[in-house]
Tab-separated table of all heavy atoms in Angstrom:
chain	number	residue	atom	x	y	z
A	32	PRO	N	4.664	-15.203	-4.303
A	32	PRO	CA	3.350	-15.075	-4.950
A	32	PRO	C	2.280	-15.909	-4.231
A	32	PRO	O	1.122	-15.490	-4.143
A	32	PRO	CB	3.606	-15.594	-6.364
A	32	PRO	CG	5.055	-15.332	-6.605
A	32	PRO	CD	5.710	-15.581	-5.263
A	35	THR	N	1.084	-13.911	-1.352
A	35	THR	CA	0.213	-12.832	-1.830
A	35	THR	C	-1.197	-13.361	-2.046
A	35	THR	O	-2.179	-12.715	-1.673
A	35	THR	CB	0.753	-12.221	-3.139
A	35	THR	OG1	2.068	-11.733	-2.916
A	35	THR	CG2	-0.126	-11.073	-3.622
A	41	ALA	N	-7.515	-13.867	2.525
A	41	ALA	CA	-7.857	-13.381	3.861
A	41	ALA	C	-8.566	-12.027	3.779
A	41	ALA	O	-9.547	-11.780	4.491
A	41	ALA	CB	-6.605	-13.278	4.724
A	49	LYS	N	-17.787	-7.976	6.224
A	49	LYS	CA	-17.980	-6.524	6.420
A	49	LYS	C	-16.946	-5.901	7.362
A	49	LYS	O	-17.195	-4.875	7.993
A	49	LYS	CB	-19.389	-6.204	6.922
A	49	LYS	CG	-20.503	-6.825	6.110
A	49	LYS	CD	-20.604	-6.192	4.760
A	49	LYS	CE	-21.862	-6.693	4.040
A	49	LYS	NZ	-21.614	-7.359	2.807
A	51	LEU	N	-13.358	-4.008	8.194
A	51	LEU	CA	-12.469	-3.032	7.584
A	51	LEU	C	-11.125	-3.717	7.321
A	51	LEU	O	-10.555	-4.330	8.227
A	51	LEU	CB	-12.270	-1.856	8.543
A	51	LEU	CG	-11.468	-0.671	8.028
A	51	LEU	CD1	-12.286	0.110	7.006
A	51	LEU	CD2	-11.096	0.235	9.187
A	56	PHE	N	1.701	-1.130	2.805
A	56	PHE	CA	2.490	-1.358	1.587
A	56	PHE	C	3.898	-1.814	1.928
A	56	PHE	O	4.389	-2.773	1.407
A	56	PHE	CB	2.571	-0.076	0.765
A	56	PHE	CG	1.592	0.006	-0.369
A	56	PHE	CD1	0.605	-0.924	-0.558
A	56	PHE	CD2	1.672	1.052	-1.259
A	56	PHE	CE1	-0.282	-0.830	-1.611
A	56	PHE	CE2	0.792	1.164	-2.317
A	56	PHE	CZ	-0.185	0.228	-2.495
A	59	ARG	N	10.071	-2.925	0.487
A	59	ARG	CA	11.451	-3.177	0.879
A	59	ARG	C	12.202	-3.724	-0.332
A	59	ARG	O	11.882	-4.811	-0.825
A	59	ARG	CB	11.538	-4.198	2.026
A	59	ARG	CG	10.872	-3.755	3.308
A	59	ARG	CD	11.704	-2.656	3.979
A	59	ARG	NE	11.178	-2.303	5.271
A	59	ARG	CZ	10.451	-1.220	5.520
A	59	ARG	NH1	10.134	-0.398	4.546
A	59	ARG	NH2	10.026	-0.954	6.731
A	62	ILE	N	13.384	-7.297	-0.463
A	62	ILE	CA	12.409	-8.391	-0.527
A	62	ILE	C	11.912	-8.617	-1.950
A	62	ILE	O	11.790	-9.739	-2.403
A	62	ILE	CB	11.219	-8.122	0.420
A	62	ILE	CG1	11.703	-8.110	1.866
A	62	ILE	CG2	10.114	-9.148	0.221
A	62	ILE	CD1	10.620	-7.763	2.870
A	64	SER	N	11.389	-6.704	-6.182
A	64	SER	CA	11.681	-5.626	-7.125
A	64	SER	C	10.490	-4.677	-7.155
A	64	SER	O	9.377	-5.042	-6.762
A	64	SER	CB	11.918	-6.198	-8.524
A	64	SER	OG	10.706	-6.728	-9.037
A	66	GLU	N	8.935	-3.782	-9.729
A	66	GLU	CA	7.953	-4.347	-10.669
A	66	GLU	C	7.069	-5.386	-9.972
A	66	GLU	O	5.853	-5.401	-10.150
A	66	GLU	CB	8.673	-4.979	-11.877
A	66	GLU	CG	9.407	-3.987	-12.749
A	66	GLU	CD	10.794	-3.603	-12.212
A	66	GLU	OE1	11.335	-4.302	-11.333
A	66	GLU	OE2	11.317	-2.575	-12.686
A	68	PHE	N	6.601	-5.665	-6.692
A	68	PHE	CA	5.846	-4.925	-5.680
A	68	PHE	C	4.577	-4.327	-6.300
A	68	PHE	O	3.475	-4.522	-5.803
A	68	PHE	CB	6.732	-3.816	-5.090
A	68	PHE	CG	6.002	-2.802	-4.246
A	68	PHE	CD1	5.671	-3.088	-2.932
A	68	PHE	CD2	5.685	-1.556	-4.761
A	68	PHE	CE1	5.022	-2.148	-2.143
A	68	PHE	CE2	5.042	-0.612	-3.981
A	68	PHE	CZ	4.702	-0.913	-2.670
A	71	ARG	N	1.936	-7.064	-7.490
A	71	ARG	CA	1.195	-7.730	-6.410
A	71	ARG	C	0.296	-6.771	-5.642
A	71	ARG	O	-0.799	-7.151	-5.223
A	71	ARG	CB	2.159	-8.443	-5.474
A	71	ARG	CG	2.802	-9.630	-6.180
A	71	ARG	CD	3.280	-10.642	-5.200
A	71	ARG	NE	4.627	-11.072	-5.549
A	71	ARG	CZ	5.484	-11.570	-4.702
A	71	ARG	NH1	5.185	-11.701	-3.442
A	71	ARG	NH2	6.675	-11.951	-5.103
A	75	LEU	N	-4.015	-6.624	-4.748
A	75	LEU	CA	-4.584	-6.466	-3.408
A	75	LEU	C	-5.355	-5.160	-3.224
A	75	LEU	O	-6.298	-5.103	-2.427
A	75	LEU	CB	-3.472	-6.559	-2.362
A	75	LEU	CG	-2.663	-7.850	-2.338
A	75	LEU	CD1	-1.531	-7.739	-1.331
A	75	LEU	CD2	-3.548	-9.045	-2.041
A	84	CYS	N	1.207	3.552	4.554
A	84	CYS	CA	2.334	3.587	3.625
A	84	CYS	C	3.184	4.823	3.880
A	84	CYS	O	2.780	5.738	4.585
A	84	CYS	CB	1.857	3.569	2.177
A	84	CYS	SG	0.885	4.998	1.713
A	85	ALA	N	4.336	4.830	3.268
A	85	ALA	CA	5.216	5.993	3.306
A	85	ALA	C	4.867	6.887	2.124
A	85	ALA	O	4.345	6.415	1.106
A	85	ALA	CB	6.675	5.550	3.212
A	89	LEU	N	3.698	6.191	-2.121
A	89	LEU	CA	2.666	6.835	-2.939
A	89	LEU	C	3.262	7.351	-4.239
A	89	LEU	O	2.646	7.258	-5.302
A	89	LEU	CB	2.003	7.980	-2.180
A	89	LEU	CG	1.240	7.594	-0.922
A	89	LEU	CD1	0.693	8.832	-0.238
A	89	LEU	CD2	0.124	6.614	-1.241
A	110	SER	N	-10.632	2.092	-4.003
A	110	SER	CA	-11.745	1.950	-3.059
A	110	SER	C	-11.305	2.303	-1.639
A	110	SER	O	-12.016	2.010	-0.681
A	110	SER	CB	-12.296	0.521	-3.109
A	110	SER	OG	-11.282	-0.396	-2.750
A	122	ASP	N	17.359	12.180	6.938
A	122	ASP	CA	18.351	11.331	7.599
A	122	ASP	C	17.702	10.230	8.465
A	122	ASP	O	18.378	9.530	9.195
A	122	ASP	CB	19.311	12.162	8.440
A	122	ASP	CG	18.630	12.852	9.618
A	122	ASP	OD1	17.403	12.700	9.800
A	122	ASP	OD2	19.334	13.534	10.372
Side-chain angles (χ1 to χ4, degrees):
T35 302
K49 309 290 188 240
L51 185 72
F56 262 7
R59 298 288 186 258
I62 295 176
S64 68
E66 294 82 16
F68 168 80
R71 291 203 226 156
L75 301 175
C84 63
L89 297 177
S110 61
D122 65 0

